[in-house]
Amino acid sequence: MEEFRRAYARLCAAPQEAVLRRLREPAGAPGRGRLDLAAQSLSLETCGALGRLLPGAAPFAEVALGDCGLSEEGVKLLVHGLCSNTTVKSLDLKGNNLRTVGAEALGKLLRQNKSIRSLILEWNNLGVWEEGFSFFCQGLGANNFLQRLDLRNNQINHQGAGELAMALKQNASLQELDLRWNNIGLLGGRALLNCLHSNKTLKRLELAGNNVPSDILKAVETCACSPALSASEQAMDHNQDRQTILSETQNRTYILSKEVLSLKDEKTKQFLDLMDTIDKQREEIARSDRMSAARVSQLQEALDEQHSIMNSLKAKLQMTEAALALSEQKVHNLGELLNATKQQQTSMAERHFTELQQQKQEGADRESKLLRDLSAASDKNLLLRNQVDELEKKCKVQQDQLFQVKQDLTNTTAELKLRAVQAEERLEMEKRRFKQSLEDMESLRLKEVDHVIQHIEVSERSMQDRIQRLEAIRIALEEELSQVKAAALTERGQAEEELIKVRNQARLEEQQRLEHLEEKLRLMTESRDEAQNCCLKQKQMVAEAQAKANQLSLQADGLRRRLEELQQDLNSKEEEKVTEVNKVKVELQEKIGHLQAERTAQEGLREKIAALERQLKALSSNHREALLDKESEISTLLEKLRMKEADISRMREEEAQRASFLQNAIMAYLQGSPLGTHSSRK
């Protein structure tokens, strides 16, 4: 016993003094001791320590744990320890308000334990829950060692009696079964009576206070006393017993009438003792009522707290729903903005494509016009040659007149030379101007290309930065959602602010990009206008050169060389024009390539925007899953509240039923005593 006490003190962090005092008391011979902890409120820690110490060969043959206020978890721990015990013969668990978990634990004990012969479960609530009591009955049916079972005042109804009857048909060791003060009724009594025909070991079955008819009670008593007889023999024996009992009662009435006077004093003393016990029981009932009222108040406070928690959760749910609605609306607005930007980009691309086609057509028209002008100039040259031949013929005829005209020719040649020098100077000035304009165009084109490349690189860098920022924000949001569900509202607000910032940045970048494109278009239009002006000037120059050639063709032979030089100049100009046209074509092709590169960049941006939209959808789905988890938690809390309210109502009903049973038992005891019969006769 001392070793058991030391082991208990070692296992418990805070051992109970009352338990230690009981364990210090002498327990008797080893293997026959008694562990009496009745009327001691045992904690859950104490139950766990006892459950660890009881397995195996414990130094006790009897364990008394009546009126200890054990919780169902404590009973589960104790019974788990007793399942493998081999020395305990008697177990007393009366007055502990055992319910479903306790019934299941006792059923497991009856299945596994092979040493317990007596089990006292008086003043519990094993029959309230049908599932737990059915498990207990299954364990009883599987047990072949228990001999005495006390189930008084356990709220067993006719269904529980049916389960017991099924268990008794399988049990082959039980000899005494006490079922007094339950709610078995007619159906339960019949079920028990029917099971006694197949059970041949049960010798005593108590069914008083169960609203069972008297004939069934007598039949049960006879079947329990002589279970091996047939039905007819039992009826004959019952009639004979009635006759012998009547004769004996007639003989005893005379004797008992004499002894009544002597018993009056004893009964008065017993009555006084009974009144004292009734007062004590009333005090205990009042104490239990106070305890139950305190428990009810505690449960009511817990319910109020849970109601407040529920209200706060509902408010949070409303806030989260509103935030979700706002986020969905913002996502819809972002989608609309993205669609608008996509439409604008497509329209801009179509405009660029149409402008490029127009420029190509204009270049083709220019080439066709230049070719036509060249063909016209060659025709005119042929005509001029023919005219020169005719003039040569006329010169041969007019050789005589040349001498007279020499003076005029000298004057005219001097004037023509001056005019030719002036024309050459003008041609050189125009060539210089045209070269400068071409160089300016090339520098502008190079600047535009560099500017476009820089703009594309800046946009790509900004988009990469934005993607990295968004990825960092997404990772932070996922970590915050996994760590703290309660901070979903604040995180959503941050995410919305970041989305607003990203949207504003996207808008600003789109505006800047549109401004750059507009500037580029304006520069292109200006360059196109300048090229058209240059072409017009060149056309004017060609027209002036043709006029001068026509004027010079009317002159003499000395002007032939000048015409050839002019033709060479025209050929060189034509070659320069062809080279310029080729350059324009190359520039147009380069611009087309740049536009295609910009289009590919725009497609990459579209893909990135689609990825961002997918991330937003994933975030919204995560928020919705978190909301669903919270709703499931709220539903579980509501179910727990309902279960607690049902337990409180059942406890109240059980306390009322227990009080009514006590009152009925006292009244039945008073009516069945000789003092009650004597007072009624008076």
Side-chain angles (χ1 to χ4, degrees):
M1 193 70 176
E2 185 65 24
E3 292 179 358
F4 190 85
R5 185 181 65 79
R6 289 175 183 173
Y8 167 71
R10 185 175 63 255
L11 288 174
C12 279
Q16 294 179 322
E17 292 295 331
V19 177
L20 291 173
R21 284 198 301 271
R22 290 292 180 89
L23 292 175
R24 288 193 188 97
E25 296 176 358
R32 296 182 180 180
R34 176 182 172 84
L35 178 61
D36 189 2
L37 297 176
Q40 301 293 329
S41 60
L42 301 180
S43 64
L44 187 62
E45 186 179 6
T46 299
C47 294
L50 292 175
R52 294 179 192 174
L53 294 172
L54 287 173
F60 309 111
E62 296 182 7
V63 177
L65 298 173
D67 297 322
C68 290
L70 297 174
S71 63
E72 292 194 341
E73 291 294 328
V75 172
K76 189 175 180 181
L77 293 172
L78 284 168
V79 170
H80 181 71
L82 288 169
C83 285
S84 59
N85 186 276
T86 58
T87 58
V88 175
K89 305 295 183 185
S90 177
L91 178 61
D92 186 0
L93 290 172
K94 67 178 180 181
N96 282 299
N97 195 18
L98 301 181
R99 293 172 181 266
T100 307
V101 179
E104 292 177 356
L106 289 170
K108 183 179 178 182
L109 174 67
L110 292 173
R111 283 177 182 272
Q112 297 180 5
N113 189 277
K114 297 180 181 181
S115 63
I116 294 175
R117 300 292 184 270
S118 176
L119 182 59
I120 300 170
L121 299 172
E122 182 185 358
W123 285 104
N124 285 295
N125 291 314
L126 297 176
V128 173
W129 299 96
E130 295 177 1
E131 294 179 358
F133 191 69
S134 66
F135 195 80
F136 173 78
C137 293
Q138 290 173 7
L140 179 62
N143 186 281
N144 291 319
F145 301 95
L146 188 67
Q147 296 177 358
R148 181 172 177 269
L149 179 60
D150 190 353
L151 291 173
R152 288 178 290 175
N153 290 306
N154 269 282
Q155 306 292 324
I156 300 171
N157 54 13
H158 65 280
Q159 294 178 354
E163 295 287 340
L164 271 174
M166 294 294 292
L168 289 173
K169 289 180 182 179
Q170 299 174 2
N171 187 277
S173 63
L174 192 65
Q175 296 178 2
E176 295 182 9
L177 178 60
D178 196 348
L179 293 172
R180 288 179 289 179
W181 313 113
N182 285 295
N183 296 321
I184 292 173
L186 176 62
L187 297 174
R190 287 180 181 175
L192 291 170
L193 180 61
N194 293 327
C195 80
L196 290 175
H197 296 294
S198 60
N199 188 297
K200 297 181 181 180
T201 59
L202 191 64
K203 296 179 181 180
R204 183 183 174 189
L205 179 60
E206 297 290 340
L207 291 174
N210 280 289
N211 296 322
V212 179
S214 59
D215 56 348
I216 294 175
L217 287 173
K218 291 177 182 179
V220 168
E221 288 176 0
T222 55
C223 287
C225 292
S226 58
L229 296 175
S230 63
S232 61
E233 290 176 353
Q234 288 176 2
M236 291 177 68
D237 292 336
H238 181 64
N239 292 327
Q240 290 176 3
D241 291 336
R242 285 184 68 186
Q243 289 177 1
T244 55
I245 288 165
L246 284 171
S247 62
E248 287 177 0
T249 52
Q250 288 174 1
N251 292 324
R252 287 178 183 177
T253 50
Y254 180 73
I255 297 167
L256 290 172
S257 63
K258 291 180 180 180
E259 293 178 356
V260 167
L261 296 172
S262 62
L263 291 172
K264 280 183 181 180
D265 296 331
E266 294 179 359
K267 293 297 181 182
T268 53
K269 291 179 182 179
Q270 290 178 1
F271 181 73
L272 292 172
D273 293 334
L274 193 139
M275 291 299 292
D276 293 334
T277 55
I278 287 168
D279 292 333
K280 289 180 181 179
Q281 288 178 356
R282 285 179 180 174
E283 290 178 357
E284 289 179 357
I285 290 167
R287 183 169 60 81
S288 65
D289 288 335
R290 288 195 294 273
M291 291 291 288
S292 63
R295 288 179 183 175
V296 168
S297 63
Q298 290 176 359
L299 290 170
Q300 189 65 35
E301 289 177 356
L303 283 171
D304 294 334
E305 290 178 358
Q306 289 178 357
H307 280 303
S308 63
I309 291 166
M310 288 292 295
N311 292 324
S312 64
L313 288 171
K314 286 179 181 178
K316 288 180 181 179
L317 275 173
Q318 291 177 357
M319 293 290 288
T320 52
E321 287 176 355
L324 275 173
L326 289 172
S327 63
E328 288 177 355
Q329 188 175 3
K330 288 177 180 178
V331 168
H332 183 67
N333 293 327
L334 285 171
E336 291 179 353
L337 289 171
L338 287 171
N339 292 322
T341 53
K342 287 177 181 178
Q343 291 177 358
Q344 289 178 359
Q345 288 176 358
T346 53
S347 63
M348 290 292 291
E350 290 176 355
R351 289 177 184 174
H352 286 300
F353 186 71
T354 53
E355 287 177 357
L356 288 171
Q357 287 181 352
Q358 289 178 0
Q359 289 178 0
K360 287 180 180 179
Q361 290 177 359
E362 288 177 357
D365 294 333
R366 288 174 187 172
E367 288 178 358
S368 62
K369 287 179 181 179
L370 290 171
L371 291 170
R372 290 172 185 173
D373 293 333
L374 287 171
S375 62
S378 62
D379 294 331
K380 288 180 181 179
N381 286 322
L382 292 171
L383 292 171
L384 288 170
R385 285 177 182 176
N386 294 321
Q387 289 177 1
V388 167
D389 293 331
E390 290 177 355
L391 288 170
E392 285 179 353
K393 290 177 181 179
K394 289 180 181 180
C395 286
K396 289 178 181 180
V397 175
Q398 292 178 358
Q399 285 179 358
D400 295 331
Q401 296 178 359
L402 285 173
F403 182 76
Q404 294 178 359
V405 183
K406 282 182 180 179
Q407 293 178 357
D408 295 328
L409 285 171
T410 53
N411 294 322
T412 54
T413 52
E415 289 178 357
L416 288 171
K417 286 178 181 179
L418 290 172
R419 289 178 182 177
V421 170
Q422 290 178 358
E424 287 178 356
E425 289 177 356
R426 287 179 183 177
L427 286 170
E428 288 177 358
M429 289 294 289
E430 287 175 356
K431 287 179 181 179
R432 290 174 184 175
R433 287 179 184 176
F434 186 72
K435 287 179 181 179
Q436 287 179 358
S437 64
L438 288 173
E439 289 175 357
D440 293 333
M441 286 289 290
E442 287 179 356
S443 63
L444 287 171
R445 183 178 59 77
L446 293 171
K447 287 180 181 179
E448 285 177 357
V449 169
D450 295 331
H451 183 70
V452 169
I453 291 165
Q454 290 176 359
H455 179 68
I456 289 166
E457 290 177 354
V458 170
S459 63
E460 287 178 353
R461 289 174 185 173
S462 63
M463 287 301 294
Q464 289 178 358
D465 294 332
R466 283 173 59 195
I467 289 164
Q468 291 177 359
R469 290 176 186 172
L470 289 170
E471 287 178 352
I473 291 163
R474 180 177 62 77
I475 293 164
L477 286 170
E478 289 178 354
E479 291 177 354
E480 289 174 356
L481 283 170
S482 62
Q483 291 175 358
V484 182
K485 288 183 180 179
L489 292 173
T490 56
E491 290 174 353
R492 184 173 293 164
Q494 292 177 0
E496 288 175 355
E497 290 177 357
E498 289 172 353
L499 285 171
I500 290 166
K501 289 179 181 179
V502 170
R503 188 178 66 186
N504 293 324
Q505 289 178 1
R507 286 180 179 175
L508 291 171
E509 289 176 357
E510 290 292 332
Q511 289 178 359
Q512 290 176 1
R513 192 173 176 183
L514 289 170
E515 289 176 357
H516 287 299
L517 289 170
E518 288 176 356
E519 289 178 357
K520 188 165 73 175
L521 287 170
R522 184 173 57 78
L523 292 171
M524 290 290 288
T525 52
E526 288 177 357
S527 63
R528 186 184 64 188
D529 294 330
E530 288 176 357
Q532 288 178 357
N533 292 322
C534 291
C535 289
L536 291 171
K537 288 178 180 179
Q538 288 175 1
K539 288 179 180 179
Q540 290 176 1
M541 290 295 294
V542 169
E544 289 175 359
Q546 287 177 358
K548 288 177 181 180
N550 291 321
Q551 289 177 1
L552 291 172
S553 63
L554 299 173
Q555 301 299 327
D557 295 331
L559 296 176
R560 189 179 293 173
R561 295 177 182 176
R562 185 63 182 167
L563 288 171
E564 291 176 355
E565 291 175 356
L566 287 172
Q567 286 178 359
Q568 291 177 359
D569 292 330
L570 286 171
N571 292 322
S572 63
K573 286 181 181 180
E574 287 174 357
E575 289 175 355
E576 288 175 357
K577 287 179 182 178
V578 170
T579 55
E580 287 175 358
V581 168
N582 292 322
K583 287 180 181 179
V584 170
K585 287 181 179 179
V586 171
E587 288 176 357
L588 289 172
Q589 289 178 357
E590 289 177 353
K591 288 180 181 179
I592 289 165
H594 288 301
L595 290 171
Q596 289 178 355
E598 288 179 357
R599 186 179 292 173
T600 54
Q602 288 177 359
E603 289 177 354
L605 291 173
R606 288 174 185 173
E607 291 177 355
K608 291 176 182 178
I609 290 163
L612 291 172
E613 289 177 353
R614 292 171 186 169
Q615 291 176 1
L616 288 171
K617 289 179 180 178
L619 289 172
S620 63
S621 64
N622 290 325
H623 286 301
R624 289 176 183 173
E625 288 177 356
L627 285 172
L628 291 172
D629 292 333
K630 288 181 180 179
E631 288 177 356
S632 63
E633 290 176 358
I634 289 163
S635 63
T636 53
L637 289 171
L638 288 170
E639 289 178 357
K640 288 180 181 179
L641 284 172
R642 290 173 185 170
M643 292 294 290
K644 286 182 179 180
E645 289 175 356
D647 289 332
I648 290 164
S649 63
R650 288 193 191 95
M651 287 173 68
R652 289 177 180 172
E653 290 175 359
E654 287 166 3
E655 292 293 332
Q657 288 177 0
R658 188 176 288 179
S660 65
F661 287 142
L662 279 171
Q663 189 175 1
N664 292 327
I666 292 163
M667 294 298 293
Y669 181 81
L670 290 172
Q671 289 176 3
S673 64
L675 182 60
T677 56
H678 181 69
S679 61
S680 64
R681 285 177 184 174
K682 286 183 179 180

